[in-house]
Amino acid sequence: MTLAPVVRGTARRHRGNLYVATEALLGVRLPAAGFSAFPVIGVGGAVGWETASDSYKRLRGYGEAGVGLIYSGTYASDLLKVHLEAGMRYRVQTYERPHNYYHIGVRGVTNFAHVGAALVAGIGWAFD
């Protein structure tokens, strides 16, 4: 097991409940047995579904599937990752732009040789 705190920036485009997203990752893998500290850099895309079809619902669940290239001192063949993620979003401001929201989720990741998991939590801003 390794720990890597990461900052993730995403942009989503909605069509009702369905959305497509892009993301960028930047972080650092912390030293652990057998692993040294190393930067984490990644880009990716995803397709997801939210339980709310408009911007006026405060609490919404979501599920998404995506693919990305994530580098953290690994072999080039390990860059390609596929993920499944599920979680909840709670919008604090609904009628103001930008509106911020709290977000928590769990992501499962595989590179077709190994599997891993990540906790995704934070504060987001929607500028739509």
Side-chain angles (χ1 to χ4, degrees), residues 29-85:
R29 184 179 67 200
L30 301 179
F35 296 100
S36 61
F38 206 90
V40 176
I41 303 168
V43 293
V47 175
W49 180 86
E50 281 192 340
T51 57
S53 61
D54 60 53
S55 63
Y56 303 108
K57 299 282 194 313
R58 286 189 178 273
L59 184 64
R60 57 192 64 221
Y62 73 92
E64 73 174 40
V67 64
L69 297 173
I70 302 172
Y71 180 66
S72 180
T74 56
Y75 298 107
S77 61
D78 290 338
L79 293 179
L80 182 64
K81 307 277 194 304
V82 173
H83 75 261
L84 295 174
E85 183 173 319

Side-chain angles (χ1 to χ4, degrees), residues 84-105:
L84 295 174
E85 183 173 319
M88 301 289 289
R89 298 183 177 113
Y90 179 77
R91 294 199 175 195
V92 179
Q93 300 160 313
T94 301
Y95 297 99
E96 300 175 24
R97 300 293 189 262
H99 41 237
N100 63 321
Y101 60 91
Y102 301 117
H103 172 209
I104 188 164

Side-chain angles (χ1 to χ4, degrees), residues 11-36:
R12 297 192 314 271
R13 183 78 173 162
H14 282 263
R15 291 276 188 199
N17 297 79
L18 187 69
Y19 67 84
V20 293
T22 57
E23 72 176 25
L25 306 172
L26 183 60
V28 62
R29 184 179 67 200
L30 301 179
F35 296 100
S36 61

